[in-house]
Amino acid sequence: MATTQQSRARGGGPRPGPSVRVPFPVVDEVARHCEQDAEPNTVHIEIHLPGRVDEGRLRSAFAEALARHPRALMRERPRGAFARRYEWELTGSADPDPVSFPPSGPGALARARARALGQAPPLTASPPLRLDVVREPGGEGCVLVFAVHHTALDGPACMRLAATAAEVYGAHRAAPAPAPARPASEPPAGESPAAPLARPARIAAGATGPSPVPGNAMLLAELPVPRRESGAPYTVNDQLMVATALTVADWNRSQGAPGADRRPLRITMPVDDRTRGPEMPIGNGTRLVEVGFAAAELLPGADVAALLRATAERTRALKARPRPPLGRAASLLTAPLLPVAARAAVTRGLRVLAGPWTSTTLLSNIGRVPYPLDFGEAGRATAVWFSAPARMPRGLTFTTASTGGRLHLALRWSRTLLGDEDGVRLREMFTRHLASTSSETV
């Protein structure tokens, strides 16, 4: 049996001994079942700093951040053929050093990004994340590029680790982090225009055809945060949601997708209720909800003001409604009644069958980054980008964060669906539709 002896680490988390085991939560198990080598399940994060960090100090600061958040120090424990659970083994210290300083040279950042999308950190080494510190010649700053295995951790959890490392590196006291906004409870809204049983639209394939190179590609953009009047009934997240829906509908029409003006859209939206302070739970902590849009709402000439109000009502109701992270069906699939090998086969089969009813796309809005990310003489972060996995059948994700009053957008797509030129067109469409939600336009 695993020992339960644990000492306390700073930051409110337990510092485990080497034999502590933690069964995979539902989200982790489903992700583990559905792993695909062709499309690694990684979260990419990059933090841009105006100055350069000292190698020794950053390694030490990140090691201390992991010690303060020991739940990140985990690896998948070997199991027998008839094991009924996957288990994390909490290690108490890193196996290999997760921090690396690749050689500086032209294209170093592009290579680090490609590695973050194409090579998942192994689950068999603790922690299941990687940090490349990129320095390109001729520049004064550096970029911290994280690759996180999404089976183990999500973007906000990794950002908490980065924030703690910044506090240690810069010798700052941890500033109080704002709690996430939790909407007041309200009666559930009526049935969404895109009812759960309705088959939603899919992202139409691009003009360039599938790439011979599998995996994900990505395009980053910096945009102005859309303006909204004080007291407006909708949030920036609602503006992003509307811009995403209009972009997808516009794209499908431009590609001549069958039923482009008849199929409803469903957009998956992660909801995170965790505190952002040093005691933030580390792991996969979001729950997924789906925001529906009727096809008629997204026709050319749509009433954007009305769409913003309707979207705000839907997102408020969805955030207030209690729900397991992946829904009740996932909880049943992961019940340890059969060996994990059998459950994995069932889960993968159901994923294929449910593909046509999977949501159209995903919008993950981190919002305003709640940490200063101040690395002392290297400076404060000037930009933070995230990107979420874009595996098929969705094949396209939108991820946003804001820093310094600017919106940082990452479009990430499956190369089997879209090409690089398609990504540029989608960015242009999104930019235009986001501007249409601004208070200066609505």
Side-chain angles (χ1 to χ4, degrees):
M1 295 292 291
T3 179
T4 58
Q5 295 298 317
Q6 298 176 340
S7 58
R8 300 297 296 175
R10 282 181 291 172
R15 188 185 295 275
S19 60
V20 174
R21 304 174 190 173
V22 177
F24 272 34
V26 170
V27 177
D28 299 15
E29 179 171 327
V30 171
R32 179 67 177 82
H33 288 335
C34 298
E35 276 194 13
Q36 299 172 3
D37 291 338
E39 292 184 314
N41 190 24
T42 65
V43 175
H44 141 272
I45 302 173
E46 57 182 75
I47 301 171
H48 291 241
L49 300 176
R52 296 197 171 185
V53 293
D54 176 80
E55 181 171 342
R57 280 179 63 193
L58 183 68
R59 290 185 188 277
S60 177
F62 198 69
E64 175 62 18
L66 289 169
R68 294 187 186 189
H69 302 283
R71 182 60 175 78
L73 287 164
M74 57 184 169
R75 63 185 172 221
E76 184 180 342
R77 183 175 178 273
R79 65 188 186 282
F82 299 101
R84 291 177 182 266
R85 285 193 180 278
Y86 296 109
E87 290 182 315
W88 294 119
E89 183 177 30
L90 305 189
T91 61
S93 61
D95 292 333
D97 187 348
V99 182
S100 65
F101 284 73
S104 176
L109 181 55
R111 288 191 295 274
R113 287 170 175 167
R115 185 175 179 227
L117 270 58
Q119 298 179 30
L123 293 177
T124 53
S126 171
L129 61 85
R130 183 174 62 239
L131 169 56
D132 290 343
V133 183
V134 180
R135 298 157 295 182
E136 292 196 308
E140 297 181 355
C142 67
V143 183
L144 311 183
V145 181
F146 289 88
V148 183
H149 203 307
H150 204 0
T151 297
L153 300 167
D154 56 18
C158 185
M159 278 300 298
R160 180 60 257 180
L161 292 171
T164 301
E167 292 160 10
V168 175
Y169 185 98
H172 306 298
R173 294 184 62 185
R182 292 181 175 85
S185 297
E186 58 183 66
E191 185 172 310
S192 168
L197 295 180
R199 185 170 173 175
R202 304 253 60 84
I203 303 292
T208 56
S211 167
V213 180
N216 281 187
M218 178 178 67
L219 181 64
L220 307 182
E222 183 176 278
L223 306 172
V225 177
R227 295 175 60 87
R228 62 190 181 95
E229 293 181 358
S230 177
Y234 50 84
T235 65
V236 171
N237 186 75
D238 297 321
Q239 292 173 284
L240 293 166
M241 183 65 66
V242 167
T244 300
L246 291 171
T247 297
V248 171
D250 195 0
W251 169 261
N252 282 354
R253 278 192 297 271
S254 73
Q255 297 302 109
D261 290 333
R262 299 192 303 275
R263 288 269 180 90
L265 261 63
R266 288 210 306 269
I267 300 178
T268 293
M269 178 181 75
V271 177
D272 194 351
D273 298 321
R274 291 173 291 184
T275 175
R276 292 294 187 265
E279 69 284 0
M280 177 184 181
I282 301 298
N284 280 306
T286 58
R287 53 192 171 94
L288 301 179
V289 300
E290 292 187 356
V291 183
F293 293 88
E297 295 179 298
L298 305 174
L299 293 174
D303 185 341
V304 175
L307 190 54
L308 284 167
R309 291 191 296 271
T311 301
E313 292 175 2
R314 294 166 198 167
T315 58
R316 278 197 303 270
L318 288 167
K319 290 176 183 178
R321 183 180 297 151
R323 183 180 187 272
L326 295 180
R328 292 173 179 81
S331 300
L332 291 174
L333 277 175
T334 57
L337 303 176
L338 297 172
V340 290
R343 298 206 304 274
V346 171
T347 301
R348 286 192 290 268
L350 289 175
R351 184 176 186 268
V352 172
L353 292 174
W357 286 270
T358 302
S359 65
T360 309
T361 188
L362 175 142
L363 167 67
S364 181
N365 175 37
I366 306 298
R368 187 171 58 249
V369 175
Y371 314 112
L373 297 175
D374 187 344
F375 284 82
E377 72 280 358
R380 291 191 174 203
T382 56
V384 178
W385 271 283
F386 294 74
S387 73
R391 300 192 297 174
M392 297 297 287
R394 288 192 190 102
L396 174 67
T397 61
F398 299 75
T399 314
T400 55
S402 60
T403 305
R406 300 291 290 175
L407 182 74
H408 295 103
L409 165 72
L411 292 178
R412 184 164 160 180
W413 62 87
S414 171
R415 290 187 180 277
T416 63
L417 182 69
L418 303 168
D420 292 344
E421 293 180 5
D422 301 319
V424 172
R425 288 182 58 207
L426 282 161
R427 179 196 61 192
E428 293 170 350
M429 288 180 179
F430 184 89
T431 300
R432 174 164 48 85
H433 287 301
L434 184 63
S436 75
T437 70
S438 175
S439 61
E440 298 167 343
T441 307
V442 173

